[in-house]
Amino acid sequence: MIEGERASLVLAAVLSLRIQSKHDGTVQLAGRADPRAMAALVRAVDRVERRMRTLGSADLVEQATTYSVRRGEAFTIVAQRAMGAYGMTVAPWQHQLSDAS
């Protein structure tokens, strides 16, 4: 289980993601997965992000500016836990990043 969700579902969603370049030169993760798998990933990330928010500052302005950072960190934690549950150390998009360099 990853944050109350089946690890196999969370991992399926994580493995469906690929890097997509954006017009501004940045990249984002995007992909399609089984709706149940993607919902499990989103719920797991939501739980971690909520816990991070409660541990952080109570300043609403600071919380608004750090939401995307916190969300990204929560995703990273969930993805690493899901991959670790199955003995994986490198996500598919990490290969894409190393190929691009």
Side-chain angles (χ1 to χ4, degrees):
M1 299 293 278
I2 309 292
E3 293 298 317
E5 303 295 333
R6 284 186 21 213
S8 60
L9 286 176
V10 174
L11 183 64
V14 167
L15 294 179
S16 74
L17 300 174
R18 297 291 180 262
I19 290 179
Q20 291 183 339
S21 297
K22 294 174 61 177
H23 296 292
D24 63 2
T26 61
V27 296
Q28 68 181 12
L29 286 175
R32 292 183 182 191
D34 171 74
R36 290 179 343 147
M38 199 58 82
L41 174 62
V42 169
R43 285 190 303 266
V45 170
D46 286 348
R47 288 181 187 113
V48 171
E49 190 274 328
R50 243 180 279 132
R51 233 181 357 267
M52 292 170 75
R53 186 177 52 226
T54 60
L55 295 173
S57 170
D59 181 359
L60 293 178
V61 173
E62 183 179 331
Q63 283 190 11
T65 59
T66 60
Y67 172 78
S68 60
V69 172
R70 209 174 37 246
R71 192 91 180 148
E73 290 172 354
F75 169 80
T76 300
I77 290 167
V78 169
Q80 287 173 339
R81 286 181 186 168
M83 291 185 312
Y86 289 90
M88 297 177 66
T89 57
V90 179
W93 61 85
Q94 290 171 310
H95 293 292
Q96 284 180 283
L97 286 173
S98 64
D99 292 343
S101 2

